[in-house]
């Protein structure tokens, strides 16, 4: 047994070494280096131009301009924390911060993307049928949740569904097995949309199935975020998949031109098979998500499989994102045929969030759960970089007598982000919120569960990027079997966690506390 364990460790070490070598050579000698160098040169020229402008600023003029810009920032419809960050930068370094703010505020890089998404939303509006009878049944059972359901339908065309099954997977390995089984049974189409795809065991197994299915005539579409081309996949990887019969697109690949478009990433995790089942959650397609490799200890992640009528929302969300990278518009109706209803209790509302829709839907759902909770709200999140409203809601719920627990990683994947996460601990603990760190490794799951009735799982972290800047997705559930499964998993995972106390916060390393303290004002821009 010891020999087998050593062989497994040797295999894991070889996988990490080979992946590291591929990533290193791709980064140094590939297209990424050229693109990054060109971007650095452009940023350098921009800042050089800003620096030269300082000669034309007199103290009084600079102060007046800073005050005018600060007033403009205050009156813009932004998150208050983001306003504070911009005002701080403008007052400290107006020559650099003012042009940078104008560049971001005018959306010079993503106006075309916003216009394209608005066009797609108009063309697909009404493809998911309104179902007033479902809403009435929800109002009779849970009027509070019915209000949230109305909000989701009005802001994003995300209707509530019944007759849909939910299966919860408390670890990546189990989810991977279920995903493979569904992929192997595909008869018509496979849609995959993921933030990260990385070459290795997990993606290799999936790719083999996708290739076989494409040869059998199944339509296979793969969409992944363009940051993968930096060091995980070759830039021409979509063409490689096309040769296998797999349609593939990158969302917003990095190009040698400075643009605000790169700030908005496709962070969604969606798998749809034949319109009859859909997966979402925190799991990307890389080996650490199934604990094949262990870069940050044991990787705790979760997934949800939905069957039945609610799958149609995930199908449409994929098609909307897929079409942003193409000038034409595919006929979506042929993929949205009503799925066979499933004999299952409860309501499901799959939903997405976009940085361009004017509503912070992901945050709104989380806040609504916190504000309506009566007994408990239990949360898993890999990152905790939140605004004043979220801090206030967490503490207010705790002071109302609600059992509010936050579970975060014990071993971070990014040290600066972890320092920022810990910078919120003391304030929350003093407000009555309980915080636990997962000692075996890294928590990447994003779950809310409340009062044995309501739960959310999906791709939405408790950080600024997920809540304000990225494309995200999740599923809101009421009184489905998965709600109890998520709470049971939470209680089981708590046994592997360490409770954080005020004394722990006081004993935290000075360097980490100082890093969090310095980065906190810049959190909305990270």
């Amino acid at each position: 047994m010891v020999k087998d364990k050593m062989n497994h460790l040797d295999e894991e070490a070889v996988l990490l070494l080979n992946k590291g070598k591929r990533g290193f050579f791709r980064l140094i000698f590939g297209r990424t280096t050229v693109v990054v160098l060109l971007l650095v040169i452009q940023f350098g020229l921009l800042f050089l131009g800003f620096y030269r402008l300082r000669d034309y600023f007199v103290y009084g003029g600079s102060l007046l301009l800073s005050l005018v810009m600060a007033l403009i920032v205050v009156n813009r419809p932004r998150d208050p924390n983001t306003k504070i960050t911009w005002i701080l930068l403008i007052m400290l370094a107006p020559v650099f911060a003012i042009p940078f703010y104008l560049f971001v505020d005018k959306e010079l890089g993503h106006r075309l993307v916003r216009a394209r998404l608005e066009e797609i939303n108009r063309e697909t509006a009404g493809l998911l049928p309104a179902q007033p009878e479902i809403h009435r049944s929800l109002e009779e059972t849970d009027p509070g949740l019915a209000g949230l359901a109305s909000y989701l339908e009005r802001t994003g065309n995300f209707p509530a569904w019944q007759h849909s099954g939910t299966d919860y997977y408390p670890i990546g390995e189990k989810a991977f097995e279920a995903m493979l089984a569904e992929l192997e049974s595909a008869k018509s189409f496979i849609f995959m949309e993921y933030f990260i795809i990385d070459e290795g065991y997990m993606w290799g197994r999936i790719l083999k199935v996708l290739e076989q299915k494409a040869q059998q005539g199944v339509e296979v579409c793969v969409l992944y975020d363009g940051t993968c081309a930096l060091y995980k996949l070759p830039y021409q990887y979509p063409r490689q998949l096309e040769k296998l019969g797999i349609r593939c697109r990158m969302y917003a690949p990095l190009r040698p031109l400075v643009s605000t478009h790169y700030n908005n990433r496709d962070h969604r995790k969606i798998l749809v098979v034949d319109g009859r089942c859909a997966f979402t959650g925190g799991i990307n397609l890389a080996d650490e998500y199934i604990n094949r490799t262990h870069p940050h200890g044991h990787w705790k992640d979760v997934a949800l499989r939905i069957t039945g009528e609610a799958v149609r929302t995930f199908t449409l969300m994929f098609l909307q994102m897929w079409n942003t990278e193409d000038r034409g518009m595919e006929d979506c109706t042929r993929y949205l045929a009503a799925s066979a209803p499933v004999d299952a209790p409860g309501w499901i509302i799959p939903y997405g969030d976009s940085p361009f829709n004017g509503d912070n839907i992901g945050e709104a759902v989380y806040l609504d759960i916190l504000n309506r909770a009566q007994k408990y709200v239990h949360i898993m999140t890999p990152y905790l970089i939140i605004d004043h409203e979220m801090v206030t809601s967490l503490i207010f719920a705790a002071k109302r007598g609600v059992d509010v627990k936050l579970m975060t990683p014990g071993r971070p994947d990014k040290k600066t982000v972890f320092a920022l996460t810990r910078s919120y601990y003391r304030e929350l603990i003093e407000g009555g919120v309980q915080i636990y760190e997962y000692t075996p490794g890294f928590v990447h799951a994003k779950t809310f569960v409340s009062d044995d009735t309501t739960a959310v799982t999906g791709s939405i972290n408790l950080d600024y990027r997920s809540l304000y800047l990225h494309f995200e997705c999740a599923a809101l559930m009421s009184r489905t079997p998965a709600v109890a499964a998520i709470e049971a998993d939470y209680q089981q995972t708590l046994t592997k966690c360490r409770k954080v106390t005020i004394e722990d916060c006081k004993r935290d390393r000075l360097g980490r506390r100082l890093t969090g303290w310095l980065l906190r004002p810049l959190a909305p821009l990270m």
Side-chain angles (χ1 to χ4, degrees):
M1 184 174 179
V2 173
K3 185 176 180 181
D4 291 342
K5 186 174 181 180
M6 291 300 296
N7 289 337
H8 175 71
L9 291 174
D10 289 343
E11 178 186 354
E12 183 178 302
V14 170
L15 282 170
L16 284 171
L17 182 62
N18 290 338
K19 182 184 289 188
K21 286 180 178 179
R22 291 196 306 270
F24 174 78
F25 285 112
R26 188 175 292 149
L27 186 64
I28 298 300
F29 300 107
R31 174 184 178 275
T32 297
T33 302
V34 176
V35 171
V36 170
L37 283 175
L38 289 172
L39 289 173
V40 168
I41 290 171
Q42 289 176 71
F43 273 113
L45 291 173
L46 286 171
F47 277 97
L48 179 61
F50 299 160
Y51 182 73
R52 291 289 179 88
L53 284 175
R54 81 192 193 286
D55 296 333
Y56 299 95
F57 276 74
V58 296
Y59 176 74
S62 176
L63 180 60
L64 179 61
L65 182 59
S66 297
L67 288 173
V68 171
M69 286 303 303
L71 288 172
I72 292 173
V73 171
V74 166
N75 286 280
R76 295 290 289 168
R78 289 182 181 272
D79 160 59
N81 291 54
T82 305
K83 292 180 182 181
I84 291 171
T85 299
W86 278 115
I87 290 171
L88 180 65
L89 292 174
I90 287 169
M91 300 308 290
L92 288 176
V95 174
F96 297 99
I98 291 174
F100 185 46
Y101 174 80
L102 293 173
F103 176 72
V104 173
D105 188 62
K106 295 304 178 183
E107 302 178 348
L108 298 178
H110 56 245
R111 281 191 174 185
L112 291 176
V113 181
R114 178 192 289 271
R116 176 63 180 150
L117 280 169
E118 290 174 351
E119 178 189 2
I120 290 171
N121 289 335
R122 284 193 301 270
E123 293 186 15
T124 57
L127 291 183
L128 298 179
Q131 302 182 79
E133 68 283 358
I134 292 179
H135 191 78
R136 282 195 296 270
S137 68
L138 189 54
E139 280 186 327
E140 293 170 1
T141 306
D142 190 339
L145 189 62
L148 180 57
S150 294
Y151 166 80
L152 290 171
E153 187 158 14
R154 289 169 184 164
T155 56
N157 190 28
F158 302 121
W161 301 91
Q162 288 182 302
H163 312 301
S164 299
T166 54
D167 296 288
Y168 175 74
Y169 301 94
I171 196 68
E173 295 90 314
K174 294 293 184 183
F176 179 45
E177 292 174 8
M179 291 164 67
L180 280 177
E182 294 291 0
L183 288 170
E184 288 168 350
S185 67
K187 297 290 190 293
S188 178
F189 65 86
I190 296 169
F191 294 157
M192 306 186 77
E193 179 182 346
Y194 284 88
F195 180 56
I196 292 174
I197 295 178
D198 196 6
E199 293 174 311
Y201 175 82
M202 184 182 189
W203 176 238
R205 288 282 306 276
I206 290 174
L207 183 58
K208 184 176 180 180
V209 176
L210 297 182
E211 183 180 1
Q212 292 172 348
K213 289 297 170 181
Q215 292 173 353
Q216 295 169 11
V218 175
E219 183 178 4
V220 182
C221 299
V222 175
L223 174 65
Y224 63 89
D225 189 75
T227 52
C228 292
L230 286 174
Y231 58 96
K232 295 186 181 299
L233 297 173
Y235 186 77
Q236 301 299 332
Y237 198 67
R239 293 187 182 180
Q240 295 180 26
L241 294 192
E242 295 282 351
K243 293 177 181 178
L244 302 177
I246 300 168
R247 302 176 68 191
C248 182
R249 293 174 183 172
M250 277 192 291
Y251 177 78
L254 198 62
R255 294 189 173 96
L257 181 65
V258 174
S259 172
T260 55
H261 181 35
Y262 305 135
N263 203 31
N264 307 120
R265 308 314 315 175
D266 182 2
H267 193 247
R268 295 177 175 180
K269 289 89 179 171
I270 295 174
L271 166 60
V272 178
V273 178
D274 292 345
R276 59 177 174 75
C277 76
F279 287 81
T280 191
I283 297 170
N284 283 299
L285 308 183
D287 286 352
E288 60 266 35
Y289 294 86
I290 57 171
N291 285 292
R292 191 79 181 183
T293 58
H294 299 86
H296 310 293
H298 185 267
W299 194 284
K300 167 64 177 177
D301 217 330
V302 306
L304 181 74
R305 177 175 61 183
I306 295 174
T307 53
E309 296 180 354
V311 176
R312 296 163 75 180
T313 302
F314 277 111
T315 304
L316 183 58
M317 280 197 286
F318 171 86
L319 290 166
Q320 289 169 335
M321 235 14 226
W322 175 262
N323 282 286
T324 62
E325 292 299 302
D326 189 19
R327 291 183 179 180
M329 183 68 188
E330 298 189 23
D331 178 17
C332 296
T333 55
R334 61 194 179 104
Y335 303 105
L336 294 171
S339 302
V342 174
D343 184 16
W347 297 263
I348 305 172
I349 311 176
Y351 63 96
D353 200 358
S354 163
F356 306 138
N357 62 7
D359 287 277
N360 300 315
I361 294 176
E363 184 178 41
V365 172
Y366 287 161
L367 290 172
D368 187 83
I369 292 172
L370 282 167
N371 293 332
R372 289 190 301 105
Q374 298 297 316
K375 295 186 293 184
Y376 72 83
V377 179
H378 295 159
I379 302 165
M380 288 189 197
T381 181
Y383 313 117
L384 187 68
I385 307 172
I386 49 180
D387 60 17
H388 178 70
E389 188 174 8
M390 183 63 72
V391 171
T392 301
S393 293
L394 288 163
I395 292 174
F396 178 59
K399 289 184 175 180
R400 287 193 293 111
V402 177
D403 176 38
V404 181
K405 288 186 173 73
L406 279 166
M407 188 183 298
T408 60
R411 291 178 61 178
D413 64 337
K414 305 176 185 70
K415 291 184 178 180
T416 54
V417 174
F418 188 60
L420 256 178
T421 291
R422 290 186 68 93
S423 73
Y424 291 88
Y425 281 6
R426 184 165 182 171
E427 178 182 5
L428 291 171
I429 293 171
E430 289 176 343
V433 178
Q434 301 174 65
I435 298 177
Y436 293 81
E437 289 185 343
Y438 181 66
T439 54
F442 187 68
V443 168
H444 192 256
K446 309 95 166 48
T447 63
F448 267 59
V449 59
S450 175
D451 294 352
D452 298 332
T453 60
T454 307
V456 170
T457 189
S459 66
I460 308 172
N461 298 318
L462 277 179
D463 67 1
Y464 279 93
R465 301 209 67 81
S466 271
L467 298 176
Y468 291 96
L469 298 175
H470 286 168
F471 293 92
E472 303 283 359
C473 67
L476 171 65
M477 294 164 283
S478 174
R479 294 166 173 80
T480 69
V483 174
I486 292 171
E487 173 60 13
D489 176 46
Y490 198 93
Q491 294 301 326
Q492 195 277 331
T493 309
L494 272 180
T495 63
K496 302 175 184 178
C497 294
R498 179 183 68 87
K499 187 173 183 178
V500 182
T501 65
I502 292 294
E503 288 69 30
D504 293 327
C505 296
K506 293 177 180 177
R507 289 194 300 265
D508 207 0
R509 293 197 302 270
L510 178 62
R512 185 154 60 193
R513 279 188 289 163
L514 184 61
T515 300
W517 184 76
L518 291 172
L519 291 178
R520 187 82 171 262
L522 301 175
L525 301 183
M526 293 186 66

